């Protein structure tokens, strides 16, 4: 949190840690530190802190998803979803026909008529440059509820991972304070958000 205020020339990315984000960081750090103090009667926090870590992560991730929702999906996200659609509709990884049909139009307003690939496979088919693991993982959520279902599923999955990471950090260090610090370092990092 001191990075933006260093008395030297700093990269623009350091400014991420100023303004409202700074309040969120210190709130999370303070909550984590208070939860680790044994004499404070915080009830649920002392009984199930890993669950609380997961729930707090869900709140943070939901706020981040809501904040960027007008500009989503973007980046590689539509390409992974096209692979998902190919798995669900065609039961294969060949994506050329999915691009040609415009399967992506239900969740992406741009033009994806050109598949994201390097070269054709030995069989002449186009396969994405992206690995299909995430696409296969989110396929059931996409089949049930489309793009919004994938977003909710990834929120649940990421929040569960954050709770498990908190528990792992507590077990490894033996300290709830260290677990909260590690949780905040992961959950509040820009790349994870």
């Amino acid at each position: 949190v001191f990075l933006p205020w260093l008395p030297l020339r700093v990269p623009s990315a350091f400014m991420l840690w100023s303004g409202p984000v700074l309040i969120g960081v210190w709130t999370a750090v303070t909550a984590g530190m208070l939860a680790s103090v044994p004499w404070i009667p915080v009830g649920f926090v002392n009984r199930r802190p890993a669950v609380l870590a997961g729930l707090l992560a869900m709140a943070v991730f939901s706020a981040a998803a809501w904040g960027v929702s007008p500009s989503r999906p973007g980046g590689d996200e539509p390409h992974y979803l096209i692979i998902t659609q190919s798995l669900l509709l065609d039961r294969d990884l060949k994506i050329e026909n999915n691009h040609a049909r415009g399967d992506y139009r239900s969740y992406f307003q741009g033009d994806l008529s050109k598949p994201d690939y390097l070269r054709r496979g030995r069989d002449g088919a186009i396969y994405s440059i992206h690995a299909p693991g995430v696409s296969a993982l989110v396929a059931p959520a996409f089949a049930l509820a489309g793009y919004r279902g994938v977003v909710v599923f990834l929120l649940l999955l990421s929040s569960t991972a954050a709770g498990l990471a908190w528990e792992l950090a507590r077990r490894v260090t033996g300290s709830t304070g260290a677990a909260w610090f590690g949780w905040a370092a992961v959950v509040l990092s820009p790349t994870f958000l």
Side-chain angles (χ1 to χ4, degrees), residues 9 42 52 80 85 107 112 132 140 144 146-147 152 154 161 163 172-173:
R9 182 175 230 157
V42 288
L52 178 64
Y80 282 103
Q85 288 178 302
Y107 53 84
L112 288 179
L144 287 173
Y147 175 68
V152 170
L154 289 176
V172 168
T173 65

Side-chain angles (χ1 to χ4, degrees), residues 8 13 16 33 66-67 80 84 110 114 133 148 155 160 179 181:
L8 49 108
L16 172 73
M33 302 276 296
W66 178 75
Y80 282 103
T84 301
K114 182 181 180 262
R148 297 282 180 226
L155 286 172
T160 301
F181 183 84

Side-chain angles (χ1 to χ4, degrees), residues 1 4-5 14-26:
V1 295
W5 314 113
F14 283 15
M15 295 312 289
L16 172 73
W17 299 107
S18 62
V21 172
L22 185 64
I23 295 167
V25 169
W26 281 113

Side-chain angles (χ1 to χ4, degrees), residues 9 18 43 52 61 72 99 106-107 109 112 142 156 159 165 168 191:
R9 182 175 230 157
S18 62
L52 178 64
F61 298 153
R72 288 287 170 224
H99 283 273
S106 65
Y107 53 84
Q109 305 310 315
L112 288 179
F142 190 87
L156 291 169
S159 301
L168 177 64
T191 52

